[in-house]
Amino acid sequence: MPWLQLKLTANRSGTASIEYALMKIGAVSVTLEDNADQPILEPALGETPLWDQVKITGLFDANIDTAAIATSLQQRLSQPLTHLQWEQLEDKDWEREWMSNFHPICCGERLWICPSWCAPPQPTKVNILLDPGLAFGTGTHPTTFLCMQWLDKQLLDDLELIDYGCGSGILGIAALKLGARRVIGVDIDPQALIATADNAQRNQLADNAMPVFLPDNAPEASADIVLANILAGPLAELAPILTNLTRPGGKLCLSGILDVQAQAVMDAYAKDFDFEPIAQKEEWVRLVGRKIR
């Protein structure tokens, strides 16, 4: 199905009214992007920050009257609009487009992440067959790659793990295929639990190898290793929970953290963990600590 995109720019204060007006006049979606290379590293809980200068894109059916839409939009707004730009969006099978750009990834000496629709390039290695669905975690992001790289080097035989924020299930499934006895997956998103269960089945794991739970329903049992690839803010807030879930002498592997946030996250766990040197890929880091009490 062909589409048209209406692109315009606005300052922070005018963005909400333009977004609302676009939806009222028939846009099927509205996208907001930074228009001035202004980074927003991580919002606080409950915040939805915007850039000072925002690029706004409204998506419309290609059969609409563009002149009428532009007039209707202007009539709904108090400020005059300039530099309206219409573009035709190429008609593609976007699912196939995404699939064509997800390739097998080597994450160490043993581990490979392979799209479920591809043959593993090295069948004798430990291959994770993955279809993330709507959940986060394909291995292409530095945070996931850093965690997979760490797991590749661990002796996991007969250990129990918790994957807190399991997303697609990629970390827990990797741990099981590397010898772990059991992994508990936890996520706040029901879609992630579905994706994890599907990927566990796709990798021919036993039905009870990786049970998944929403946080309120998760068992309170501790584990030899706790994995959490989330974001710095939630990781700091979850410190009491993740600490209690890690057995004395056990390991905690944290990622989803920018290099400038690493010290703040370590400080939240400092009294209970000794941390190894920080591992970094691009601007992202991985923290690994051993529980000392």
Side-chain angles (χ1 to χ4, degrees):
M1 179 177 179
W3 301 96
L4 288 175
Q5 295 183 125
L6 175 59
K7 294 191 172 185
L8 61 153
T9 59
N11 57 32
R12 186 204 307 259
S13 61
T15 297
S17 59
I18 294 174
E19 180 181 12
Y20 179 76
L22 285 168
M23 297 301 292
K24 294 298 287 185
I25 62 176
V28 296
S29 70
V30 178
T31 304
L32 307 180
E33 301 174 80
D34 178 19
N35 197 46
D37 195 24
Q38 178 187 1
I40 294 178
L41 299 181
E42 184 180 328
L45 291 177
E47 287 186 355
T48 307
L50 278 178
W51 307 274
D52 293 333
Q53 297 295 321
V54 183
K55 182 189 299 180
I56 306 172
T57 303
L59 185 66
F60 292 85
D61 186 291
N63 296 320
I64 54 97
D65 183 335
T66 56
I69 289 291
T71 299
S72 181
L73 177 61
Q74 183 62 82
Q75 290 173 344
R76 290 175 175 270
L77 300 171
S78 57
Q79 72 270 35
L81 295 175
T82 58
H83 305 299
L84 297 182
Q85 180 181 357
W86 286 99
E87 294 180 356
Q88 184 168 4
L89 184 63
E90 185 178 356
D91 192 12
K92 292 183 178 181
D93 184 333
W94 293 104
E95 181 177 4
R96 287 187 177 277
E97 183 77 7
W98 174 81
M99 290 171 64
S100 69
N101 289 294
F102 180 21
H103 304 292
I105 303 167
C106 180
C107 298
E109 294 183 2
R110 297 182 289 171
L111 269 179
W112 278 81
I113 306 167
C114 298
S116 59
W117 52 89
C118 292
Q122 295 195 32
T124 60
K125 298 291 186 178
V126 179
N127 289 285
I128 314 303
L129 301 181
L130 190 69
D131 183 351
L134 298 179
F136 175 81
T138 62
T140 57
H141 194 278
T143 60
T144 310
F145 181 85
L146 284 166
C147 292
M148 293 287 284
Q149 197 175 47
W150 181 76
L151 284 171
D152 181 77
K153 298 178 181 178
Q154 304 306 304
L155 297 176
L156 302 178
D157 291 352
D158 210 32
L159 297 185
E160 295 182 343
L161 290 83
I162 294 172
D163 185 358
Y164 207 97
C166 55
S168 66
I170 183 172
L171 300 183
I173 292 168
L176 288 165
K177 297 194 80 168
L178 288 169
R181 179 169 73 251
R182 187 168 184 258
V183 177
I184 293 173
V186 181
D187 206 290
I188 61 173
D189 184 358
Q191 183 63 48
L193 305 187
I194 294 171
T196 293
D198 287 348
N199 282 318
Q201 185 177 40
R202 183 172 287 109
N203 283 272
Q204 301 180 332
L205 298 176
D207 290 342
N208 61 347
M210 190 173 180
V212 292
F213 303 90
L214 295 170
D216 290 343
N217 300 327
E220 296 181 3
S222 60
D224 301 297
I225 295 176
V226 175
L227 308 164
N229 179 20
I230 315 176
L231 284 172
L235 286 173
E237 293 182 12
L238 288 167
I241 293 174
L242 299 185
T243 297
N244 288 336
L245 290 175
T246 309
R247 292 173 182 163
K251 292 183 178 181
L252 179 68
C253 177
L254 306 176
S255 197
I257 307 162
L258 291 163
D259 51 4
V260 296
Q261 302 168 324
Q263 189 59 53
V265 175
M266 286 192 294
D267 288 346
Y269 294 85
K271 72 178 188 298
D272 296 295
F273 290 86
D274 281 335
F275 280 94
E276 300 175 6
I278 296 172
Q280 184 163 350
K281 183 175 174 61
E282 299 172 12
E283 70 268 36
W284 299 94
V285 301
R286 180 194 69 222
L287 307 177
V288 175
R290 183 178 292 277
K291 192 172 182 182
I292 54 181
R293 58 175 182 169

